[in-house]
């Protein structure tokens, strides 16, 4: 699960590449996942999260404490 967002749950989508002659071959649409380090004041430590670009914007909006609470509610270990 390398291309997987811990906050939003975004994961790869699958589809086909269609050539000019209309032959189809499988392809994978990966989300824009980045590894980002945040300071978690309640625990006095840094946490490294793998977030999509949308997940990073969500953390900026709701704050790191609320984001970590949502991640833990999804059952992901932080």
């Amino acid at each position: 699960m390398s291309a997987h967002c811990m906050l939003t749950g975004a994961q790869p989508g699958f589809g086909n590449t269609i050539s000019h002659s209309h032959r189809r071959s499988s392809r994978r649409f990966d989300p824009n996942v980045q590894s980002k380090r945040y300071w978690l004041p309640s625990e006095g430590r840094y946490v490294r999260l793998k977030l999509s670009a949308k997940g990073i914007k969500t953390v900026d909006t709701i704050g790191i404490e609320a984001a970590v609470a949502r991640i833990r509610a999804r059952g992901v270990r932080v």
Side-chain angles (χ1 to χ4, degrees), residues 42-56:
S42 64
E43 297 182 15
R45 68 182 181 105
Y46 284 99
V47 291
R48 189 171 298 277
L49 303 176
K50 290 181 78 173
L51 301 171
S52 62
K54 183 179 178 181
I56 292 171

Side-chain angles (χ1 to χ4, degrees), residues 8-53:
T8 63
Q11 51 191 326
F14 296 90
N16 291 311
T17 300
I18 304 178
S19 70
H20 180 68
S21 64
H22 244 59
R23 291 175 64 99
R24 289 168 167 83
S25 58
S26 291
R27 65 159 296 179
R28 180 174 149 146
F29 297 91
D30 285 331
N32 184 10
V33 174
Q34 311 290 325
S35 181
K36 194 143 168 59
R37 194 174 83 142
Y38 290 99
W39 173 252
L40 194 58
S42 64
E43 297 182 15
R45 68 182 181 105
Y46 284 99
V47 291
R48 189 171 298 277
L49 303 176
K50 290 181 78 173
L51 301 171
S52 62

